[in-house]
């Protein structure tokens, strides 16, 4: 384990121990420890080969797929998407144009804030590379808009990634049913599985640091630097929980335990909740090792041969 990373992370855990998201980590430490261990155990032998996207897609092709997908899950989502495209809330630009990157950045993001007149304003900036992955990105950021537009409660901040990533899995299932760019689509979902593995490793490190009480690593460093590292810890938490929630709920969806109406209701639940005190409203009971293993094995079988297990 990188010594400097240990020191910086421990500084965050000590300095920001009253932060609501660090408290969430502390209050759910056993859950996070067990689930991260299960995920690492299941994915550590997977060979995540990096693949290039094969098929170029025009912007019109990309948007047509997004529109058809949103229509298939909820007509109101489709109508909202059209409204956001027409009024310029969604800003899609070519990532290969230097001026676009300089003005808007090279990463997709959703932001929502109150302007000086007290009106809520949203911006969704999405750079595209003209591949099927752009469809995933647009859907992901659009779903953020559906549960983050009104305001950012603690629950929305913590669990919104789970909803957006879950809709990516539903999109994958849709594209497979329509036989659309299957190889490239698998590459996009492969990234999600790999990211879950990476975030599980980080969560396991945080848990170990807390349980070992390694406060001797606390650094008297400037507050700004610790705040930057806090953002990294919170991001790891959000994407870890998001990836875990998504893969478990997607497995339920493929088995008929959840349908698209249930998933839309799940998205609405994120909007209604105010305090991220527990996972009880997301999981009826704590996921078992068997449930996590089955969910991961299912998606790995879906993605073969894009993802392969190897022997060490």
């Amino acid at each position: 384990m990188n010594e400097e990373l240990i020191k910086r992370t421990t500084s965050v855990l000590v300095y920001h121990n009253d932060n609501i998201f660090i408290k969430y980590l502390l209050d759910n430490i056993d859950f996070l420890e067990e689930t991260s261990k299960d995920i690492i155990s299941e994915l550590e032998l997977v060979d995540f080969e990096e693949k290039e996207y094969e098929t170029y897609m025009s912007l019109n092709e990309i948007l047509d797929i997004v529109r058809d997908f949103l229509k298939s899950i909820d007509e109101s989502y489709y109508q909202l998407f059209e409204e956001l495209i027409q009024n310029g809330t969604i800003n899609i630009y070519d990532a290969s144009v230097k001026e676009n990157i300089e003005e808007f950045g090279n990463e997709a993001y959703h932001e929502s804030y109150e302007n000086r007149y007290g009106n809520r304003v949203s911006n969704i900036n999405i750079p595209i590379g003209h591949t099927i992955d752009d469809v995933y990105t647009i859907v992901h950021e659009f779903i953020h808009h559906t549960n983050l537009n009104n305001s950012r409660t603690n629950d929305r901040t913590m669990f919104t990634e789970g909803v957006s990533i879950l809709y990516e899995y539903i999109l994958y299932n849709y594209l497979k049913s329509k036989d659309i760019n299957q190889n490239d689509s698998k590459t996009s979902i492969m990234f999600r599985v790999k990211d879950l593995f990476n975030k599980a490793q980080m969560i396991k490190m945080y848990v170990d640091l807390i349980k070992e009480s390694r406060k001797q690593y606390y650094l008297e460093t400037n507050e700004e630097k610790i705040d930057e590292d806090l953002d990294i810890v919170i991001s790891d938490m959000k994407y870890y929980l998001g990836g875990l929630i998504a893969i478990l709920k997607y497995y339920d969806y493929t088995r008929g335990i959840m349908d698209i109406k249930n998933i839309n209701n799940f998205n609405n639940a994120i909007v209604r909740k105010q305090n991220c005190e527990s996972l009880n409203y997301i999981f009826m009971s704590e996921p078992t090792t068997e449930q996590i293993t089955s969910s991961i094995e299912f998606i790995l079988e879906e993605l073969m041969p894009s993802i392969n297990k190897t022997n060490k």
Side-chain angles (χ1 to χ4, degrees):
M1 190 182 298
N2 182 285
E3 191 74 7
E4 179 63 22
L5 182 59
I6 290 175
K7 291 179 179 180
R8 290 172 56 186
T9 302
T10 306
S11 295
V12 169
L13 299 175
V14 173
Y15 190 87
H16 283 295
N17 59 15
D18 60 342
N19 177 276
I20 190 166
F21 299 110
I22 300 301
K23 284 184 176 179
Y24 180 89
L25 193 159
L26 296 171
D27 291 344
N28 294 277
I29 192 166
D30 291 336
F31 168 83
L32 294 170
E33 179 180 35
E34 291 304 314
T35 56
S36 61
K37 285 168 59 177
D38 289 340
I39 291 168
I40 292 170
S41 175
E42 188 65 23
L43 292 176
E44 62 185 348
L45 297 182
V46 172
D47 176 21
F48 292 100
E49 60 173 320
E50 294 190 11
K51 295 187 66 177
E52 298 291 330
Y53 290 96
E54 300 172 357
T55 304
Y56 176 91
M57 299 182 67
S58 69
L59 177 58
N60 285 338
E61 289 175 312
I62 291 166
L63 291 178
D64 284 346
I65 294 174
V66 173
R67 291 183 175 108
D68 289 344
F69 170 67
L70 294 178
K71 277 183 183 179
S72 75
I73 61 174
D74 193 311
E75 180 69 23
S76 67
Y77 281 6
Y78 164 71
Q79 293 173 358
L80 176 59
F81 179 76
E82 287 295 294
E83 178 184 330
L84 298 177
I85 288 287
Q86 293 301 319
N87 66 23
T89 297
I90 296 179
N91 174 36
I92 299 174
Y93 52 94
D94 195 321
S96 66
V97 178
K98 181 180 177 181
E99 290 76 13
N100 289 340
I101 300 303
E102 290 176 348
E103 182 174 0
F104 303 113
N106 60 0
E107 293 186 2
Y109 64 92
H110 171 278
E111 61 179 358
S112 180
Y113 58 92
E114 285 190 4
N115 63 19
R116 60 180 178 175
Y117 304 108
N119 300 319
R120 183 150 291 277
V121 177
S122 291
N123 293 312
I124 305 172
N125 288 319
I126 304 175
I128 63 169
H130 293 283
T131 71
I132 197 67
D133 196 55
D134 299 322
V135 176
Y136 282 92
T137 302
I138 293 170
V139 168
H140 182 106
E141 298 303 330
F142 169 76
I143 294 298
H144 278 322
H145 180 83
T146 65
N147 56 51
L148 288 178
N149 186 46
N150 294 326
S151 64
R152 286 181 180 265
T153 65
N154 294 325
D155 271 325
R156 293 175 199 174
T157 299
M158 182 60 74
F159 300 120
T160 182
E161 293 302 338
V163 182
S164 283
I165 297 171
L166 174 56
Y167 277 96
E168 286 190 52
Y169 280 105
I170 302 301
L171 171 61
Y172 165 77
N173 192 74
Y174 171 84
L175 295 174
K176 183 178 67 172
S177 71
K178 301 294 184 180
D179 195 25
I180 300 174
N181 290 11
Q182 278 299 281
N183 287 338
D184 285 352
S185 183
K186 288 178 180 180
T187 298
S188 292
I189 289 299
M190 178 178 69
F191 168 81
R192 282 299 172 202
V193 179
K194 181 179 180 180
D195 189 60
L196 176 60
F197 175 59
N198 291 338
K199 293 299 185 288
Q201 292 177 304
M202 296 304 298
I203 294 299
K204 182 64 170 58
M205 184 191 75
Y206 300 150
V207 168
D208 289 344
L209 289 174
I210 293 169
K211 290 210 163 187
E212 292 172 15
S213 298
R214 299 178 71 167
K215 294 186 179 181
Q216 67 269 30
Y217 287 111
Y218 176 61
L219 297 179
E220 291 292 342
T221 187
N222 66 78
E223 185 174 334
E224 181 180 352
K225 186 62 179 175
I226 295 180
D227 287 344
E228 290 176 4
D229 290 336
L230 173 65
D231 290 339
I232 294 173
V233 174
I234 293 174
S235 178
D236 287 340
M237 285 279 291
K238 290 193 301 181
Y239 280 98
Y240 172 71
L241 287 171
L244 174 61
I245 291 167
I247 206 164
L248 287 166
K249 295 298 183 183
Y250 177 64
Y251 187 50
D252 287 345
Y253 172 78
T254 60
R255 294 184 296 159
I257 296 174
M258 295 182 73
D259 59 21
I260 198 63
K261 183 178 180 180
N262 298 139
I263 293 171
N264 292 342
N265 289 339
F266 172 59
N267 187 20
N268 293 332
I270 299 296
V271 176
R272 292 193 300 268
K273 290 291 290 184
Q274 298 297 316
N275 301 303
C276 60
E277 297 174 351
S278 74
L279 285 168
N280 291 341
Y281 77 99
I282 291 179
F283 298 117
M284 296 300 291
S285 59
E286 186 172 310
T288 64
T289 296
E290 182 180 359
Q291 288 173 318
I292 292 173
T293 298
S294 297
S295 299
I296 292 174
E297 287 182 348
F298 175 80
I299 195 63
L300 289 180
E301 290 174 2
E302 288 270 299
L303 298 177
M304 297 292 279
S306 293
I307 295 179
N308 296 288
K309 279 193 173 183
T310 61
N311 295 320
K312 281 189 174 181

